[in-house]
Amino acid sequence: MRISVMSQMQRSFSIDLPSLIPLQLPSRRHTHLWYVIPDEVKSTSLLKRYSQLLSQTEKDGVDQMRGDELKKNALLARTLVRTTVARYQTNKEVDPRSLMFKKNVYGKPEVDWQNCKNCNHQPLHFNISHTDSLIACGVTVHVPVGIDVEDKERKIKHDVLAFAKRFYSADEVNFLATIPDPEAQRKEFIKLWTLKEAYVKALGKGFSAAPFNTFTIQSIPGTEEGYSLCKTSEVTADPLEETKKCNGEWKFAPLELADSHYAAVCIEDDQANEGAPMRVIVRKTIPFVEDQLISERIFL
Amino acid sequence: MASLSATSLSFKAPSIQSTRISQVLRKASTFQSISFGRFQSSKSLRLQISCAAKPETVQKVSDIVKEQLALSADTALTAESKFSALGADSLDTVEIVMALEEKFNISVEEADAQNITTIQEAADLIEDLVQKKPAA
């Protein structure tokens, strides 16, 4: 009985698909960022094997998507999450299929360690983001993480400033308004969107917990890529004077991926790591086929 | 000849009469529905408001969604169509909300915007907000 089960597993797994190269968990303040480019995954047999990794709920979710391209991307997104999390499992018996997921009370997806047989409970956090042409998954340890990716060329249907006035904070609108070139303005708008979205996702409490116009993400003077979060609050007697509270509790890393996408990573700062820089290690992957180290960046 | 014309005449008369009769009947029936069915008609109106949005609203929402997500004109959208299933990400959803605000001249709270996941939900929220607006 045991032997036949083993051989069945072998048939469907270690022979057809090479095992995932195991990895050490990221250290504190490190984020591992994995991405897959859907256009590079063409093999229908590979996609079929990916679909075998998914739970029934996930398969139903993929089937709900309208159109082949959306279905494929949904499949790749779940595959990326499962295979990425599985890489860090020290117990080799765990295959991506056996991972379980749940949502926190606000709807943010998390690993459900308790219900996973053979899984080692790890303080691993993940977050996923996708566009038509790129799917990314960020992994951290001990601290929540949020990521967002957007196509650099994404066109905004509305006037950028009008859109910003409606949804962004006053300071962010002012910043965007100082950019004379409309194309440059659009790019900064998108970058800011990824940073804001990454923060809300790291917070993990849904949009209504942090409406976009209640916080400002601004660059730290004197740095090229440093960003800080300031909350706008109107508690002063003078309603025109907004007091801003800029805290260092959240760290941001703006990046570009594959020359085609803006990305942002946001992590909650771990008090134990006061002063230590934030590090992001970027890898491109086609799960079970190819992993490629792209970059290792430090953000102060 | 004479008999034919007589026949044709006799045919005509009933048709005119029947029209008049049916008109009277129609009037009677509406009368009935208003007085006896006053309950009914207002009740059903009330149900309509809190239940499903008008088909025109659903259509307008579908058009905006199609435009925002650059769907082909022949994409079949139903009221139950989910934005996420159509490939909308968070930026798309926010753009859709803004387009709906402009189209219907309403203002959507962030918390409400988050709860919109289908075309039907968007249409229902729109009609709710339009209703609540003070009369112009």
Side-chain angles (χ1 to χ4, degrees):
Chain A
M1 182 73 164
R2 206 177 293 165
I3 293 169
S4 64
V5 168
M6 274 293 281
S7 59
Q8 233 182 8
M9 267 191 71
Q10 276 177 344
R11 252 204 304 279
S12 63
F13 236 81
S14 54
I15 291 177
D16 286 354
L17 291 167
S19 37
L20 296 162
I21 297 164
L23 277 178
Q24 292 277 13
L25 280 170
S27 335
R28 296 175 109 100
R29 273 251 194 152
H30 288 193
T31 303
H32 286 184
L33 189 62
W34 298 81
Y35 71 87
V36 62
I37 307 244
D39 282 347
E40 292 179 2
V41 184
K42 295 191 217 280
S43 157
T44 42
S45 60
L46 183 61
L47 288 168
K48 202 170 172 191
R49 284 169 207 152
Y50 286 165
S51 67
Q52 287 163 359
L53 301 174
L54 269 51
S55 68
Q56 191 53 53
T57 316
E58 288 169 336
K59 282 185 200 158
D60 293 341
V62 169
D63 285 337
Q64 265 194 352
M65 301 302 288
R66 300 277 299 268
D68 291 336
E69 203 186 297
L70 287 178
K71 283 185 165 60
K72 178 183 166 185
N73 287 7
L75 169 60
L76 289 174
R78 294 317 304 164
T79 303
L80 182 63
V81 172
R82 284 187 173 268
T83 55
T84 302
V85 173
R87 288 174 197 275
Y88 300 99
Q89 281 290 302
T90 48
N91 181 354
K92 287 175 202 149
E93 295 303 315
V94 177
D95 74 63
R97 217 176 336 200
S98 63
L99 290 169
M100 304 283 282
F101 295 91
K102 61 179 181 178
K103 289 189 176 166
N104 77 1
V105 66
Y106 304 101
K108 181 176 182 184
E110 308 178 327
V111 185
D112 183 0
W113 299 108
Q114 280 174 331
N115 285 319
C116 167
K117 295 169 200 158
N118 301 324
C119 281
N120 303 316
H121 187 136
Q122 294 171 321
L124 184 154
H125 296 252
F126 75 90
N127 193 233
I128 193 161
S129 175
H130 45 86
T131 67
D132 292 340
S133 44
L134 189 144
I135 303 164
C137 180
V139 173
T140 52
V141 147
H142 292 294
V143 291
V145 61
I147 69 164
D148 190 56
V149 293
E150 293 295 341
D151 190 323
K152 275 191 199 179
E153 295 309 309
R154 185 188 187 132
K155 296 288 175 272
I156 307 295
K157 298 266 181 334
H158 292 88
D159 169 65
V160 167
L161 268 185
F163 198 21
K165 280 177 188 160
R166 173 66 184 83
F167 292 105
Y168 285 18
S169 75
D171 281 334
E172 288 166 341
V173 173
N174 291 339
F175 161 67
L176 289 170
T178 62
I179 303 168
D181 173 47
E183 182 52 15
Q185 195 185 63
R186 184 194 62 83
K187 288 196 164 122
E188 288 306 316
F189 174 89
I190 303 271
K191 280 196 225 170
L192 207 41
W193 179 276
T194 61
L195 288 160
K196 291 170 85 69
E197 183 82 353
Y199 164 63
V200 172
K201 292 174 79 182
L203 195 57
K205 293 180 182 165
F207 263 107
S208 42
F212 268 24
N213 60 5
T214 62
F215 64 93
T216 296
I217 297 182
Q218 59 194 28
S219 44
I220 298 170
T223 69
E224 247 189 57
E225 288 161 333
Y227 282 87
S228 67
L229 175 80
C230 304
K231 294 222 178 88
T232 58
S233 59
E234 291 143 55
V235 268
T236 57
D238 182 4
L240 293 173
E241 191 193 302
E242 280 184 355
T243 46
K244 283 184 289 177
K245 200 186 151 204
C246 300
N247 52 27
E249 280 164 33
W250 300 92
K251 296 292 172 209
F252 295 90
L255 302 158
E256 292 188 23
L257 297 176
D259 276 335
S260 55
H261 284 74
Y262 293 126
V265 179
C266 175
I267 61 170
E268 191 170 12
D269 196 5
D270 198 328
Q271 297 305 325
N273 267 333
E274 208 83 355
M278 178 181 169
R279 196 180 294 244
V280 180
I281 299 168
V282 181
R283 289 185 183 88
K284 183 166 109 164
T285 179
I286 299 175
F288 301 110
V289 177
E290 188 180 80
D291 297 335
Q292 196 187 343
L293 175 66
I294 301 290
S295 66
E296 190 167 333
R297 303 274 310 279
I298 295 175
F299 296 87
L300 300 163
Chain B
M1 272 266 227
S3 60
L4 269 165
S5 50
T7 329
S8 60
L9 271 167
S10 65
F11 270 124
K12 257 188 207 159
S15 63
I16 293 171
Q17 234 179 17
S18 65
T19 319
R20 258 196 239 120
I21 288 167
S22 61
Q23 270 180 348
V24 169
L25 278 170
R26 240 179 276 130
K27 276 197 183 136
S29 61
T30 46
F31 202 80
Q32 251 187 343
S33 66
I34 286 171
S35 55
F36 140 87
R38 189 174 291 173
F39 250 38
Q40 247 179 5
S41 52
S42 54
K43 194 172 155 197
S44 64
L45 268 171
R46 246 187 271 123
L47 275 172
Q48 244 182 349
I49 288 167
S50 56
C51 247
K54 291 196 282 285
E56 307 96 77
T57 310
V58 171
Q59 186 56 52
K60 284 179 187 168
V61 174
S62 297
D63 292 342
I64 286 174
V65 169
K66 268 191 191 178
E67 201 190 310
Q68 176 61 37
L69 303 180
L71 304 172
S72 64
D74 56 357
T75 310
L77 291 185
T78 68
E80 280 67 48
S81 297
K82 278 187 175 176
F83 293 161
S84 57
L86 297 167
D89 62 14
S90 51
L91 186 46
D92 285 315
T93 305
V94 168
E95 287 224 78
I96 288 169
V97 167
M98 191 155 169
L100 294 174
E101 286 183 326
E102 285 166 357
K103 179 93 185 180
F104 292 95
N105 197 18
I106 49 174
S107 183
V108 181
E109 297 286 312
E110 200 121 2
D112 286 336
Q114 246 209 306
N115 288 331
I116 298 174
T117 58
T118 66
I119 289 177
Q120 184 69 60
E121 285 169 8
D124 290 346
L125 178 66
I126 287 160
E127 294 214 340
D128 199 49
L129 291 170
V130 165
Q131 278 242 318
K132 286 181 180 156
K133 269 170 45 176

